Amino acid sequence: MLRKTPEGETIWRKPQSLRNRLLTLVALPLVPAVLLVLLLIVLQAMRIQEEAQASALRTTRALAVAVDSRLREVEASLAALTVSDSLRNQDLATFYKQALLFQVSTGLGTVVVLDEHGRQVVNTSQPYGAPLPALGAQASTMPVIVEGRPMARVIKAPSSGEPLAVVSVPVRINGQVRYALSTTIGFRHFDDLLREQSLPPTWIGSIVDPERVVVARTIEGDKFVGTPAPGFLIDAMSRYREGAFDGVSVEGIPVRTIYSSTGYAGWAVAVGVPKAELARELHRPLLWFSVSTLFVLGLAVASAWWYAQRIGRAMARLTDAARELGEGEAVRVPPLGILEADELAAAMTRASSELRGNEARWSAVLESAMDGIVAVDESERIVIYNPAAERIFGWSVQEAMGQPLGMLIPPGHRGTHEVMVRQFGRTGETSRRMGAGVVVSGLRKDGAVFPIEASISHVDMGGNQLYTVIIRDVTEAVRVRDDLTQMAAQASRVREEEKARIARELHDDLAQSLAVLRMDLKQLGTALRTTHHDAEQSVARMVAEVDACVASTRRIAADLRPLILDDLGLVAAIEWLGEEFTGRTGVACTVRLEGDLDLPEPYATGVFRILQEALVNVAKHARAHRVEVSGVRNATDILFAVVDDGVGFDTGGPRKPQSLGLAGLRERVHLLRGKLVVISGQGLGTRLEVRIPAPPTARAGDISRDGLDPCS
């Protein structure tokens, strides 16, 4: 298969088989379907991931609420203890006993009372009155003492250095903070809060205090409780109260971390969901999709392969049928089991039947045609040759088939014929008469050259050129036409001679007799002038009548044969014709003649009669204001033209009844072996051109004997 590159080069590309095209046809609709399903699965997986993240966020928020509730519960319990009368009356021994009862009833840790300077004054972990260790500088700077607001955070025990979760509330006496009442919360309380959320075992849950110290953790809590939270978590919590981000846990596990701050004193919780667990939700549908897609694709390919094999067998049988059809054989195709293939096979069977019928009809036409029919291929070898051609050229079908067309053409014309056929093939025309309307020549088997009329047609049959020539033997028609032409020329010459004789007799005899009669009448009138005045007037009238008769005689003689043509030649006769036309019609007529135009007979008479008849037509029909008659001679031919500015006419329109003007002109020009061209249009005037070959230098008698006499 030919294919053009973007650079315009033509390359050969191997055509694809039907099997490959069917597989492509199956794959093309599957590809967008597969992509669509893949997109839906990805969207579903993303939705599942979003739901998992939303679930983790809800868990995180629930854990934050639980932590917040627990801290506020402890704060409320401490706030209830701050209104103790013993504490307000600074009866610390009594308050010590109350604190022990409080510790037992609430299940909380050690109760500690700090004075306004951060010194321990009560510690339920020590007997009352026992020396209590100093807490150091951190105690005096606690917000509960400095600012008088509750506090919950992780601190280090002063004696052991172990981390402790502490909740502290201020004790105001007379509006001033005098003590800070604190209690510890065991880390197990926070572990219980994490367990209550029922987090998956792979999830990492953490609780951190306002200083971002880990208070509880689901995985390896003992290892990380009391240590600072990871830097990336601290950074995220410092910017937003709630959010999510991707990171890596301290164990090196990629996680999706969701965090949320509680509403109490800056505590926060975080839940890390392993990304592998989130991706697991995507792997399952992708695996299902891959398996199902491969199954569907395999099924589609197998089906396409099976149908391709079946269609391939049908196409092979149709190919054989097409070959049989091309060779003209009878086509018979068994049922193929495919509707379209069976329809095509039926159409080919019908085409075979019709083709054979057409061949029979075409053979009958060739056999019965009266004209010879010869067809040649691109190399001009004969491929069709009917019986009429056998009769015309004398060659049998067996002798002519496959031979070059030149065997039917005279040797002198073969080169011209080959050039003409090539030019005809390049023009794109489908048919044309050969020889542009003139008779061409053929060559018989016996070597005789004879005239023929031929027309050629051209058909492109899939890149193979076929030229068909229809030939008619016009030997008899040419002979009859030549005889008629000679008879017409002879009749024209006789008629012209008779006109000349009559014109000469009118001029020499009748005109002279009338002149003598006029002179006698003039003398008689002079003799009667004195004696018979009335008779003298009658004689004068008779003289006038004789003058009119003389003028008529001269006009009739000039119409029959202008003596100026014989006496002074064609140029003077044409000039006289123009002057006579102007005098008779009043239309200005200009005569322009160049070169030697004094032609011998019968050319002079023929040209004069053509121009005379053209001017008669102008006077009758043109309604012109100006007329120009021109003539010019060169080495090979002579051109005469008559041009008027009249109303013109449609040269392609129907001829008026009884109108033979142009027909007579054409016949006269034909007798001179010339060519007549008429150019006109409605309102555009008319131009009549006559082109004749320059006559040979011979005597008029010699020319007439050749049968060339255009006179009429």
Side-chain angles (χ1 to χ4, degrees):
M1 182 173 61
L2 294 178
R3 178 177 175 269
K4 282 194 174 181
T5 63
E7 293 76 17
E9 298 180 358
T10 302
I11 61 175
W12 171 260
R13 181 180 180 184
K14 184 178 180 180
Q16 293 186 2
S17 66
L18 179 62
R19 182 182 299 106
N20 291 339
R21 291 191 179 275
L22 279 177
L23 294 177
T24 303
L25 184 63
V26 170
L28 285 178
L30 283 180
V31 169
V34 168
L35 293 177
L36 178 60
V37 173
L38 179 60
L39 176 62
L40 293 176
I41 290 179
V42 171
L43 293 177
Q44 177 67 10
M46 293 175 62
R47 187 183 66 80
I48 293 173
Q49 287 185 334
E50 291 176 357
E51 289 181 355
Q53 181 172 317
S55 175
L57 180 60
R58 288 192 296 270
T59 301
T60 303
R61 288 174 178 173
L63 181 58
V65 171
V67 171
D68 185 76
S69 300
R70 183 58 177 158
L71 292 173
R72 290 186 185 279
E73 180 183 344
V74 173
E75 180 186 338
S77 299
L78 288 175
L81 189 59
T82 59
V83 299
S84 170
D85 291 337
S86 58
L87 183 60
R88 290 183 175 277
N89 294 329
Q90 299 183 5
D91 183 2
L92 299 179
T94 303
F95 181 76
Y96 178 82
K97 296 177 181 179
Q98 291 178 346
L100 289 174
L101 293 175
F102 173 82
Q103 183 177 345
V104 173
S105 63
T106 59
L108 297 173
T110 302
V111 177
V112 177
V113 178
L114 303 178
D115 64 10
E116 57 188 346
H117 300 293
R119 295 187 296 264
Q120 292 188 79
V121 294
V122 174
N123 189 327
T124 58
S125 65
Q126 301 294 328
Y128 181 76
L132 299 176
L135 297 180
Q138 62 175 344
S140 60
T141 59
M142 291 181 178
V144 68
I145 296 176
V146 177
E147 301 175 7
R149 57 183 176 84
M151 180 195 75
R153 56 184 288 188
V154 174
I155 64 174
K156 290 185 178 181
S159 57
S160 63
E162 294 294 327
L164 298 173
V166 177
V167 177
S168 301
V169 296
V171 179
R172 287 182 173 85
I173 301 176
N174 296 326
Q176 294 182 352
V177 176
R178 293 298 181 87
Y179 300 105
L181 179 59
S182 305
T183 184
T184 61
I185 304 175
F187 290 130
R188 62 180 177 80
H189 291 279
F190 296 102
D191 291 338
D192 292 341
L193 292 177
L194 288 174
R195 282 191 294 272
E196 288 174 1
Q197 301 305 315
S198 301
L199 297 178
T202 56
W203 289 21
I204 305 173
S206 301
I207 302 175
V208 296
D209 74 346
E211 299 300 325
R212 301 303 180 242
V213 176
V214 177
V215 176
R217 197 171 189 270
T218 57
I219 297 178
E220 296 185 305
D222 295 340
K223 180 179 178 180
F224 294 104
V225 169
T227 62
F232 58 82
L233 180 59
I234 296 174
D235 182 64
M237 289 181 174
S238 66
R239 287 181 294 174
Y240 304 104
R241 287 180 52 83
E242 186 176 82
F245 60 90
D246 293 326
V248 180
S249 70
V250 293
E251 293 88 357
I253 302 173
V255 293
R256 179 73 173 173
T257 301
I258 299 96
Y259 66 91
S260 179
S261 299
T262 70
Y264 184 84
W267 284 60
V269 298
V271 175
V273 182
K275 296 180 70 174
E277 186 171 332
L278 293 175
R280 192 177 303 117
E281 298 296 334
L282 180 62
H283 293 161
R284 188 180 300 110
L286 280 179
L287 178 61
W288 174 88
F289 165 76
S290 301
V291 173
S292 59
T293 300
L294 289 175
F295 174 75
V296 172
L297 186 59
L299 182 62
V301 170
S303 300
W305 183 272
W306 183 79
Y307 277 109
Q309 292 293 104
R310 185 174 181 181
I311 294 174
R313 289 191 294 270
M315 292 298 295
R317 186 63 192 91
L318 290 175
T319 301
D320 293 339
R323 178 185 53 77
E324 295 170 355
L325 181 63
E327 295 176 354
E329 301 176 5
V331 175
R332 295 182 180 85
V333 182
L336 301 174
I338 300 175
L339 176 61
E340 292 78 3
D342 288 336
E343 291 177 349
L344 180 57
M348 295 176 71
T349 302
R350 290 194 299 272
S352 173
S353 177
E354 293 175 1
L355 181 61
R356 292 169 67 84
N358 290 337
E359 289 179 351
R361 287 189 290 273
W362 171 241
S363 298
V365 170
L366 289 178
E367 294 289 336
S368 60
M370 300 299 294
D371 293 333
I373 300 176
V374 180
V376 297
D377 56 16
E378 289 179 319
S379 60
E380 296 195 24
R381 296 281 177 176
I382 298 174
V383 294
I384 296 177
Y385 189 82
N386 73 334
E390 289 183 326
R391 294 191 296 272
I392 292 174
F393 293 100
W395 298 95
S396 66
V397 174
Q398 293 76 13
E399 293 173 323
M401 292 296 288
Q403 298 300 316
L405 183 62
M407 66 182 295
L408 308 180
I409 302 172
H413 299 168
R414 290 172 186 170
T416 304
H417 173 78
E418 292 177 0
V419 173
M420 183 201 71
V421 171
R422 285 196 297 270
Q423 291 177 347
F424 174 67
R426 288 194 295 266
T427 61
E429 296 182 62
T430 57
S431 61
R432 186 173 65 187
R433 187 171 181 180
M434 299 179 67
V438 301
V439 176
V440 294
S441 300
L443 179 66
R444 301 189 198 276
K445 181 178 180 179
D446 58 8
V449 177
F450 64 101
I452 60 173
E453 287 183 351
S455 61
I456 184 172
S457 63
H458 167 235
V459 177
D460 187 344
M461 303 177 63
N464 296 321
Q465 310 300 321
L466 182 68
Y467 299 91
T468 303
V469 183
I470 299 179
I471 301 164
R472 178 173 297 173
D473 185 352
V474 294
T475 302
E476 185 63 21
V478 169
R479 186 189 62 76
V480 171
R481 185 175 62 186
D482 290 344
D483 291 346
L484 291 176
T485 301
Q486 291 180 6
M487 291 173 62
Q490 181 67 20
S492 176
R493 184 170 60 253
V494 171
R495 186 165 54 250
E496 192 66 28
E497 291 174 353
E498 185 65 16
K499 285 183 178 181
R501 185 186 63 78
I502 295 173
R504 181 67 63 182
E505 290 182 357
L506 287 175
H507 182 272
D508 294 342
D509 296 339
L510 182 58
Q512 290 181 7
S513 298
L514 290 174
V516 172
L517 178 60
R518 181 180 184 281
M519 293 174 59
D520 292 342
L521 289 174
K522 291 288 281 184
Q523 292 177 0
L524 178 61
T526 301
L528 295 175
R529 183 177 303 166
T530 56
T531 59
H532 297 83
H533 182 67
D534 293 338
E536 188 267 341
Q537 292 181 352
S538 297
V539 170
R541 286 194 299 273
M542 294 172 64
V543 171
E545 290 291 338
V546 170
D547 288 340
C549 186
V550 170
S552 297
T553 301
R554 289 176 178 173
R555 178 179 56 78
I556 293 171
D559 288 342
L560 288 172
R561 175 76 177 183
L563 298 180
I564 191 173
L565 179 62
D566 296 326
D567 298 338
L568 300 179
L570 179 61
V571 173
I574 294 175
E575 292 174 348
W576 171 82
L577 187 63
E579 294 173 357
E580 192 272 340
F581 174 83
T582 300
R584 179 163 46 87
T585 63
V587 178
C589 180
T590 303
V591 177
R592 302 179 186 276
L593 303 175
E594 300 178 13
D596 182 10
L597 298 177
D598 281 325
L599 306 180
E601 291 296 342
Y603 291 96
T605 300
V607 170
F608 180 82
R609 293 301 185 191
I610 291 171
L611 297 179
Q612 184 182 44
E613 189 166 344
L615 290 175
V616 170
N617 288 339
V618 171
K620 286 183 178 180
H621 310 294
R623 288 182 282 176
H625 300 288
R626 290 189 305 277
V627 179
E628 180 178 296
V629 178
S630 62
V632 60
R633 176 171 183 165
N634 57 35
T636 58
D637 53 21
I638 303 172
L639 175 66
F640 289 96
V642 178
V643 183
D644 68 69
D645 62 352
V647 297
F649 65 97
D650 183 6
T651 57
R655 191 178 69 180
K656 295 181 180 180
Q658 308 301 323
S659 176
L660 300 176
L662 287 179
L665 287 175
R666 288 192 178 92
E667 182 60 26
R668 292 181 187 276
V669 173
H670 173 70
L671 292 175
L672 292 178
R673 299 175 184 171
K675 182 178 180 181
L676 174 68
V677 177
V678 179
I679 304 173
S680 184
Q682 295 290 345
L684 302 178
T686 302
R687 178 181 180 86
L688 184 144
E689 293 182 355
V690 177
R691 187 179 299 273
I692 62 175
T697 56
R699 297 187 306 274
D702 295 337
I703 299 173
S704 297
R705 282 193 296 272
D706 291 338
L708 179 62
D709 193 340
C711 305
S712 61

